[in-house]
């Protein structure tokens, strides 16, 4: 089994319910187990125009799926939750990003792991380090070091965790 970290975000529709349902779908993935879910954060949207705040969290998933199959499965979960790929960085009902897949470094047109923008996104780094404070990236950097140098501007810890459910 490989330990993966998946970032979840939503700023359209009933975000709390969408995230709970996405977690339930991830828990049902074949050859996988949903290991832990971070606390929930509200974050100011990065992207064009006026957008609602996001809800963000990170899940740890242990899986025997090859990364390409995991990506396809996560894209299917996004589609099942009304995600349409429209404007780059536009509002979305559900966004699932593979942050880490074990110690793998992957650079293909469809997937880059570790996620190339995770170091600069507090809505990823905070929940990730809540879950795994001692995590070390494939490049040797401890994620905790990034968190220390990452501002919490626009980020609010809501102090709860969303349970998988529908
Ligand atoms: N902004 C926030 N705050 N949270 C996200 O999850 C998020 N996801 C995105 C973009 C559009 C970059 N902005 C975001 O994909």
């Amino acid at each position: 089994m490989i330990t993966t970290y998946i970032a979840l975000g939503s700023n359209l529709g009933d975000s709390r319910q969408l995230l709970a349902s996405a977690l339930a779908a991830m828990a049902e993935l074949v050859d996988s187990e949903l290991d832990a879910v971070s606390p929930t954060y509200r974050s100011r949207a990065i992207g064009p125009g006026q957008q609602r705040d996001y809800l963000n969290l990170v899940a740890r998933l242990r899986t025997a799926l090859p990364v390409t199959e995991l990506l396809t499965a996560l894209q299917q979960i996004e589609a099942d939750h009304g995600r349409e790929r429209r404007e780059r960085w536009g509002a979305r009902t559900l966004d699932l990003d593979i942050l880490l897949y074990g110690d793998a470094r992957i650079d293909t047109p469809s997937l880059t792991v570790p996620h190339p923008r995770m170091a600069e996104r507090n809505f990823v780094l905070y929940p990730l380090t809540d879950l795994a404070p001692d995590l070390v990236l494939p490049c040797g950097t401890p994620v905790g070091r990034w968190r220390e140098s990452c501002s919490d501007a626009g980020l609010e810890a809501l102090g709860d965790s969303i349970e998988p459910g529908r």
Side-chain angles (χ1 to χ4, degrees), residues 8-11 42-48 51 53-56 83 88-92 95 97 117 121-124:
L8 291 81
S10 170
N11 78 336
R42 191 201 321 276
S43 66
R44 203 182 303 136
I46 294 179
Q51 290 186 36
D53 287 349
Y54 274 77
L55 289 187
N56 284 110
R83 168 76 184 267
R88 178 165 155 90
W89 291 14
R92 61 258 338 256
D95 196 17
D97 286 332
R117 284 174 294 279
R121 291 187 168 170
N122 58 15
F123 58 83
V124 171

Side-chain angles (χ1 to χ4, degrees), residues 133-151:
D134 299 324
L135 188 69
V136 178
L137 297 163
C139 64
T141 305
V143 272
R145 181 149 345 131
W146 280 347
R147 173 169 173 154
E148 284 164 18
S149 56
C150 183
S151 151

Side-chain angles (χ1 to χ4, degrees):
M1 295 285 259
I2 307 272
T3 300
T4 70
Y5 290 87
I6 316 288
L8 291 81
S10 170
N11 78 336
L12 267 184
D14 183 345
S15 293
R16 201 165 263 284
Q17 192 274 326
L18 284 157
L19 293 171
S21 175
L23 288 169
M26 286 167 60
E28 287 163 11
L29 285 178
V30 288
D31 299 334
S32 306
E33 84 196 31
L34 183 64
D35 193 46
V37 179
S38 77
T40 313
Y41 286 82
R42 191 201 321 276
S43 66
R44 203 182 303 136
I46 294 179
Q50 288 283 337
Q51 290 186 36
R52 227 178 67 186
D53 287 349
Y54 274 77
L55 289 187
N56 284 110
L57 56 88
V58 168
R60 179 162 59 221
L61 185 79
R62 290 173 45 75
T63 187
L65 290 174
V67 71
T68 49
E69 284 179 37
L70 178 64
L71 178 64
T72 303
L74 295 176
Q75 288 173 340
Q76 184 61 51
I77 294 173
E78 288 179 339
D80 291 344
H81 291 79
R83 168 76 184 267
E84 293 168 35
R85 292 194 168 262
R86 286 176 304 199
E87 183 190 8
R88 178 165 155 90
W89 291 14
R92 61 258 338 256
T93 49
L94 180 65
D95 196 17
L96 302 178
D97 286 332
I98 301 175
L99 301 174
L100 296 166
Y101 180 85
D103 280 334
R105 298 192 208 207
I106 300 157
D107 199 357
T108 68
S110 55
L111 185 64
T112 306
V113 174
H115 192 285
R117 284 174 294 279
M118 61 189 270
E120 66 220 40
R121 291 187 168 170
N122 58 15
F123 58 83
V124 171
L125 277 184
Y126 278 64
L128 177 63
T129 47
D130 289 342
L131 264 192
D134 299 324
L135 188 69
V136 178
L137 297 163
C139 64
T141 305
V143 272
R145 181 149 345 131
W146 280 347
R147 173 169 173 154
E148 284 164 18
S149 56
C150 183
S151 151
D152 63 358
L155 189 69
E156 182 192 354
L158 297 182
D160 69 333
S161 278
I162 295 178
E163 302 278 326
R166 293 201 164 94

